[in-house]
Amino acid sequence: MEKPTPDVPIREPTDRELVLSLQSGDLGAFDQLVKRYQARLYRVIYGVLLHHEDTNDVLMETFVKAYRNMGRFRIGASFYTWIYRIAVNTAISHRRKVARFRVAGSTGEGDEEERTPEAFVDESAGKEALRKIELQELHRELDQALGQLSEAHRAVVTLFDVEGLSHGEIAKILGCSEGTVRSRLFYAHKRLQQLLRNYV
């Protein structure tokens, strides 16, 4: 009797392999890259914009820009650094563009029902009504606090605290030095601690 052969896990293609396939005309490879990065990029873009509708628009714009410029992507470079840079720059540009048409100081309040709480707070610890109310209040306060930071400081906080990227990776994405990243993080964390002193 033959022994059953164990299921061999299917190896996921690397970013580099998908980029090469896309540059060779395989549009399905781009679909895979979108699926791989859309959730992560959404968190990063939302961290800059604090507004879900705008985040969806910028996410779409990010992938459109990436697709249009894929032919110029250098094989051997880091794809995630490249696409994160597109996302952050597009988000910052978008926020500055629409700031003229929005009420000064608006931070996306009223949007908290669609908030993605797992990006900042683990909501799975309890489902009691009181806990949910406390979390909603914290999300609201957190969004308001983040809204008082500059786009650059929000981007650094999101990439470091939410995405878990290193100082070096963030520096490459933002096109600045690691010292600048550390400086921005220090200021942003200190400012957030001040703004959230009743919750921290």
Side-chain angles (χ1 to χ4, degrees):
M1 183 175 178
E2 295 183 5
K3 294 183 179 179
T5 56
D7 292 334
V8 178
I10 300 175
R11 186 183 71 84
E12 288 288 324
T14 65
D15 288 351
R16 183 178 184 277
E17 290 169 341
L18 290 174
V19 170
L20 284 171
S21 295
L22 178 58
Q23 290 179 340
S24 298
D26 180 9
L27 297 182
F30 187 70
D31 291 337
Q32 289 183 264
L33 288 169
V34 170
K35 290 177 183 177
R36 180 172 295 179
Y37 281 97
Q38 61 184 356
R40 285 184 275 180
L41 292 179
Y42 188 97
R43 289 194 299 266
V44 170
I45 295 167
Y46 183 86
V48 175
L49 301 178
L50 304 178
H51 190 280
H52 284 283
E53 186 176 341
D54 286 356
T55 297
N56 285 319
D57 291 343
V58 170
L59 181 63
M60 179 71 70
E61 187 177 351
T62 296
F63 283 122
V64 169
K65 286 181 177 179
Y67 180 79
R68 288 175 177 171
N69 290 283
M70 193 64 68
R72 288 183 282 178
F73 176 77
R74 291 184 300 103
I75 297 300
S78 168
F79 177 78
Y80 90 82
T81 297
W82 182 72
I83 199 165
Y84 269 54
R85 184 184 298 125
I86 294 174
V88 171
N89 289 339
T90 304
I92 290 175
S93 175
H94 178 86
R95 183 173 176 86
R96 290 173 178 170
K97 182 170 62 177
V98 302
R100 297 188 297 271
F101 307 105
R102 290 215 170 123
V103 178
S106 172
T107 59
E109 284 185 88
D111 203 27
E112 65 268 13
E113 289 185 3
E114 298 179 46
R115 182 75 167 89
T116 312
E118 62 270 19
F120 295 104
V121 178
D122 182 7
E123 199 176 34
S124 63
K127 296 182 179 180
E128 301 87 353
L130 181 59
R131 177 64 173 158
K132 287 184 178 180
I133 292 172
E134 290 173 345
L135 282 173
Q136 287 175 356
E137 183 178 356
L138 177 57
H139 296 328
R140 191 160 45 244
E141 291 293 328
L142 180 57
D143 277 357
Q144 290 177 349
L146 286 169
Q148 295 189 46
L149 300 178
S150 70
E151 294 93 344
H153 286 101
R154 280 200 300 275
V156 168
V157 167
T158 304
L159 292 169
F160 184 79
D161 293 313
V162 179
E163 293 302 297
L165 301 185
S166 68
H167 293 152
E169 290 170 324
I170 297 171
K172 289 178 182 177
I173 290 169
L174 299 181
C176 62
S177 68
E178 289 189 40
T180 299
V181 171
R182 292 191 183 92
S183 176
R184 290 178 183 174
L185 268 176
F186 177 80
Y187 171 83
H189 286 161
K190 186 175 180 180
R191 182 65 178 140
L192 287 174
Q193 286 174 355
Q194 292 171 346
L195 294 169
L196 297 171
R197 57 185 174 274
N198 294 330
Y199 295 88
V200 178

